[in-house]
Amino acid sequence: MNGLVVSSLLPVVILIAVGWLAGRMRWIRGDSVKDLSNLVFLLLAPPLLFRSMSTVRIEQLSLKPVAAYFVAAGLIFAATLVWRGFNRTGVVLALANTYSNTVMIGIALVGLAYGPQGMVVLLTLISLHSLVLLTSATVFLELALAQEDAQRIEPGGAGRRSMARTVLRALRNAIVHPVQAPILLGLLFAQTGLEIPAAIDKPIALLGQAFSPVALMLVGITLALTPVGQHWRTALLHASIKNLVHPALVAAFGLAFGLRGLPLTVMVVAASLPIGANVFLFAQRYRTSEGLITASVVVSTVMALVSLSIVMALAGRL
């Protein structure tokens, strides 16, 4: 394993371990996790994301690496639906197999490993990640619910939201979001050619610097407070698909698209990130496989401490 992988992953592992210890010792209790999560996503993430994109010109962005990521994700999503069936459980598990923790772990890791240029590649993906995957999952879940209603032969169906309204609401929520919105606003600001005044830029930079350590410790706290239970075997299977199969397919499609170097490396590493916590929110909202999804997120995150080091070492040769 080369020095870049070790020097990038070691701080991530240490900060997650510190958070795990805080959770196990009950220095941070379960009822405080939501407040800490709000601190990370609502206060610390937006300044970091806005500032990272505030000097990026649109012509610097490349969508070909992002296309490789989503083509691979789409293939896995479709294969999971064939395997698990077109139902609520199948859709949620398909989302788990494809939805990466690009913010809490990805930003810290890519920033350490690949610097500002790598961050631009990652943030291009993040700006579309939830918009594409969560909106698609919402549409499929609503279609699955409609199918379940039809199979139950329930009269009427006026209580079900119209599909158009569901899609529009999902699109709005994906754009007006504490992650997507500052990325888009930062990119728009960059096109003006203006610079952030130093008196404003300094506190924004300080807030952004606090994001990575707090977010990684939050991952550790969540791991300490979340039981895996009886689902660990199936969770291990889904974690393996997310952490290993997804990046392998991204690498294959990226090479087929003629990609090389840093853009492909960052996309492969992003695909190897563990399952994002948003998947659990979908499982909870649609009342399906909540225990399995919780276990899968935990197992995927723990596995990533090893699998990421392997993927990063291999991706460095692309």
Side-chain angles (χ1 to χ4, degrees):
M1 193 185 308
N2 60 39
L4 173 63
V5 174
V6 174
S7 61
S8 303
L9 270 178
L10 191 58
V12 172
V13 173
I14 290 173
L15 287 168
I16 290 176
V18 168
W20 181 86
L21 178 63
R24 292 290 294 177
M25 298 297 291
R26 295 298 189 267
W27 296 336
I28 305 293
R29 298 184 181 274
D31 53 7
S32 302
V33 170
K34 183 169 180 57
D35 291 334
L36 192 55
S37 178
N38 286 338
L39 173 69
V40 168
F41 283 101
L42 301 180
L43 186 61
L44 302 182
L48 171 66
L49 301 175
F50 178 86
R51 190 169 185 269
S52 296
M53 297 301 285
S54 65
T55 58
V56 177
R57 307 293 293 185
I58 288 179
E59 56 267 22
Q60 294 176 263
L61 301 178
S62 174
L63 294 180
K64 191 181 288 186
V66 176
Y69 182 98
F70 284 124
V71 169
L75 184 60
I76 294 172
F77 198 101
T80 306
L81 289 181
V82 171
W83 169 35
R84 289 286 190 172
F86 185 70
N87 49 55
R88 284 180 291 168
T89 299
V91 175
V92 168
L93 291 175
L95 185 62
N97 289 344
T98 54
Y99 190 83
S100 297
N101 192 334
T102 52
V103 177
M104 290 177 65
I105 297 178
I107 288 174
L109 180 61
V110 170
L112 283 169
Y114 307 112
Q117 287 185 321
M119 280 289 287
V120 170
V121 177
L122 179 67
L123 292 180
T124 304
L125 171 65
I126 291 176
S127 67
L128 297 169
H129 192 243
S130 293
L131 181 65
V132 172
L133 292 180
L134 297 188
T135 303
S136 299
T138 299
V139 172
F140 280 111
L141 281 163
E142 290 295 328
L143 287 171
L145 283 171
Q147 178 176 278
E148 289 178 16
D149 286 349
Q151 289 173 347
R152 284 196 297 267
I153 320 179
E154 291 182 354
R160 176 69 55 205
R161 292 192 306 270
S162 72
M163 181 59 65
R165 188 180 304 172
T166 297
V167 173
L168 288 174
R169 185 150 91 175
L171 286 169
R172 184 198 64 193
N173 291 343
I175 295 172
V176 184
H177 185 277
V179 172
Q180 268 72 250
I183 290 174
L184 296 175
L185 290 173
L187 188 60
L188 288 174
F189 179 82
Q191 309 320 303
T192 67
L194 300 174
E195 293 185 1
I196 303 173
I200 298 175
D201 186 53
K202 186 63 174 178
I204 289 178
L206 290 172
L207 285 170
Q209 289 166 13
F211 170 84
S212 292
V214 178
L216 291 172
M217 285 189 287
L218 179 58
V219 171
I221 293 166
T222 304
L223 289 177
L225 299 177
T226 306
V228 174
Q230 61 184 352
H231 299 286
W232 72 270
R233 290 181 188 275
T234 310
L236 182 60
L237 174 60
H238 289 285
S240 299
I241 293 171
K242 178 68 204 69
N243 293 26
L244 299 173
V245 176
H246 192 188
L249 285 177
V250 171
F253 281 113
L255 292 172
F257 292 168
L259 294 171
R260 296 293 187 277
L262 184 64
L264 178 57
T265 298
V266 172
M267 282 301 108
V268 171
V269 171
S272 72
L273 293 167
I275 300 169
N278 278 339
V279 181
F280 173 73
L281 299 180
F282 271 67
Q284 194 175 49
R285 177 181 177 185
Y286 288 91
R287 298 179 181 178
T288 181
S289 302
E290 295 172 54
L292 174 56
I293 292 300
T294 301
S296 297
V297 171
V298 173
V299 172
S300 177
T301 304
V302 173
M303 179 192 289
L305 300 179
V306 176
S307 61
L308 266 171
S309 62
I310 297 171
V311 171
M312 288 178 70
L314 293 175
R317 302 177 183 178
L318 294 173

